[in-house]
């Protein structure tokens, strides 16, 4: 992966959003900002806009992910909109096939189905979602096979009396998402596109991409590997401002470490973190790219040289909505 045969202007850029909540109860505001951001990045030429499934988290408003995808897709016209991801063990595969079949019917050619196997929440909430089904992700390959067969019955070993309507016969691109090697290997073996969460699992980035590419087998979906990498990127006019804005992202991870559930916090001059917490932050955010356009451009190219990613999915956790939009604007200008 050390080959330097891609320039940052050669690949596509997409956006990951969690509909962040900036004050308690203001969920409608968060969802409005999400749609406004999607319209903004569509005009800038971004490729996809994905939403993540999380539950029992008062600072994230995208728990009903399929519903929010419809909200965003209805407010845009060319942007691909999808899930990053749907946590499949939380759901019946038939329900997800019907939901995404409906979305594809409403917005043809614009819907992506990204799938993960983690709960996206704590164990008690996972139990409430799964109602004691006993699945903690160990049966993910079987759930995935069932889901894919609803869209394409030829993938099933035999005929089934159960059909996804809408869903059957529709082409909804299925991606596997991961932060470890498990989904990387499975995506490769099935010949599916793969997205790695480097924005919160940086240490596994290279090994996961290598695993995916080494295990890749051509399929009806892809004839060669296609890897997208999630990446924290914050761009501002100066390094000082970008680093200040990035304290919102740092506080998010600190609050997770401290098990402190609060809405997205405004930037601060001083994090008031212990040495242990600062070390954990450095590890968790190791691949994050923060700075002025010149710094971000250089670091992006270095990251691309190392990963040879086919696409980057950017998440910019910035408290001020207009500054967040501006960060995506600056990024789009330096990657043209």
């Amino acid at each position: 992966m050390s080959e330097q045969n891609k320039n940052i202007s050669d690949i596509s850029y997409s956006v990951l959003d969690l509909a962040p909540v900036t004050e308690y109860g203001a969920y409608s505001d968060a969802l409005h900002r999400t749609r406004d951001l999607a319209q903004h990045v569509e005009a800038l030429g971004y490729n996809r806009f994905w939403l993540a499934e999380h539950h029992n988290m008062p600072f994230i408003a995208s728990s009903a992910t399929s519903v929010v995808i419809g909200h965003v897709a209805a407010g845009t016209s060319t942007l691909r909109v999808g899930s990053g991801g749907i946590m499949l063990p939380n759901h019946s595969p038939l329900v997800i096939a019907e939901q995404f079949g409906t979305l594809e019917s409403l917005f043809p050619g614009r819907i992506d189905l990204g799938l993960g196997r983690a709960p996206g929440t704590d164990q008690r909430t996972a139990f409430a979602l799964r109602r004691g089904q006993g699945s903690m992700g160990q049966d993910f390959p079987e759930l995935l096979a069932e889901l894919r067969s609803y869209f394409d019955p030829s993938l099933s070993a035999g005929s089934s009396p159960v059909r996804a309507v809408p869903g059957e016969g529709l082409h909804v691109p299925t991606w596997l998402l991961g932060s470890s090697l498990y989904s990387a290997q499975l995506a490769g073996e099935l010949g599916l596109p793969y997205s790695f969460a480097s924005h919160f699992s940086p240490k596994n980035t290279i090994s996961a991409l290598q695993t995916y590419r080494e295990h890749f087998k051509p399929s009806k979906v892809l004839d060669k590997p296609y890897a997208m990498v999630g990446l924290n990127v914050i761009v501002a006019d100066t390094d000082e401002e970008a680093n200040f804005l990035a304290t919102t992202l740092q506080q998010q991870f600190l609050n997770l470490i401290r098990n402190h559930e609060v809405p997205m916090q405004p930037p601060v001059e001083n994090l008031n973190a212990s040495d242990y917490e600062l070390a954990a932050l450095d590890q968790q955010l190791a691949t994050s790219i923060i700075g002025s356009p010149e710094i971000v451009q250089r670091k992006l190219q270095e990251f691309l040289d190392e990963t040879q990613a086919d696409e980057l999915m950017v998440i910019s956790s910035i408290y001020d909505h207009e500054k967040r939009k501006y960060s995506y604007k600056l990024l789009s200008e330096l990657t043209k």
Side-chain angles (χ1 to χ4, degrees), residues 72-137:
V72 170
T76 53
S77 59
T78 59
L79 198 64
R80 294 200 65 90
V81 188
S83 56
I86 292 291
M87 301 296 107
L88 187 54
N90 291 342
H91 309 280
S92 154
L94 176 60
V95 170
I96 297 304
E98 290 173 338
Q99 289 177 355
F100 277 78
T102 300
L103 287 166
E104 175 64 22
S105 299
L106 290 168
F107 311 103
R110 296 182 53 214
I111 301 300
D112 292 330
L113 175 53
L115 299 168
R117 67 186 181 102
T121 188
D122 59 88
Q123 294 302 317
R124 287 178 296 180
T125 308
F127 180 84
L129 286 162
R130 300 173 183 187
R131 307 309 298 173
Q133 295 174 39
S135 170
M136 295 310 295

Side-chain angles (χ1 to χ4, degrees), residues 115-299:
L115 299 168
R117 67 186 181 102
T121 188
D122 59 88
Q123 294 302 317
R124 287 178 296 180
T125 308
F127 180 84
L129 286 162
R130 300 173 183 187
R131 307 309 298 173
Q133 295 174 39
S135 170
M136 295 310 295
Q138 70 275 11
D139 56 349
F140 180 75
E142 291 77 19
L143 295 174
L144 174 62
E146 180 184 345
L147 172 57
R148 295 182 70 206
S149 72
Y150 287 126
F151 292 113
D152 182 359
S154 72
L155 297 173
S156 178
S159 61
S160 171
V162 180
R163 302 169 64 186
V165 182
E168 185 176 302
L170 295 179
H171 176 62
V172 180
T174 301
W175 293 67
L176 293 196
L177 281 57
S179 57
S180 65
L181 306 188
Y182 178 90
S183 292
Q185 181 172 336
L186 183 60
E189 291 173 348
L190 295 175
L192 295 175
Y194 176 63
S195 181
F196 183 79
S198 189
H199 58 292
F200 66 81
S201 184
K203 69 177 181 180
N204 292 321
T205 303
I206 301 304
S207 56
L209 293 175
Q210 287 176 333
T211 298
Y212 171 58
R213 290 165 178 146
E214 288 169 0
H215 286 85
F216 185 84
K217 298 175 183 176
S219 67
K220 289 197 298 184
V221 177
L222 289 175
D223 59 4
K224 61 181 180 179
Y226 192 92
M228 179 162 62
V229 181
L231 188 64
N232 295 304
V233 180
I234 293 175
V235 198
D237 289 329
T238 66
D239 294 337
E240 292 75 18
E241 184 182 7
N243 287 322
F244 176 65
L245 295 175
T247 59
T248 290
L249 171 64
Q250 294 166 333
Q251 288 177 89
Q252 285 181 313
F253 279 93
L254 283 174
N255 286 326
L256 287 173
I257 293 169
R258 297 166 179 170
N259 197 28
H260 188 204
E261 294 184 342
V262 294
M264 176 182 265
Q265 296 295 294
V268 293
E269 295 292 347
N270 191 329
L271 284 174
N272 292 319
S274 67
D275 290 343
Y276 164 78
E277 288 174 330
L278 290 174
L281 273 183
D282 286 342
Q283 184 176 30
Q284 200 81 28
L285 302 176
T287 58
S288 300
I289 296 177
I290 299 160
S292 63
E294 295 77 16
I295 293 293
V296 170
Q297 188 174 47
R298 175 175 59 80
K299 290 186 175 181

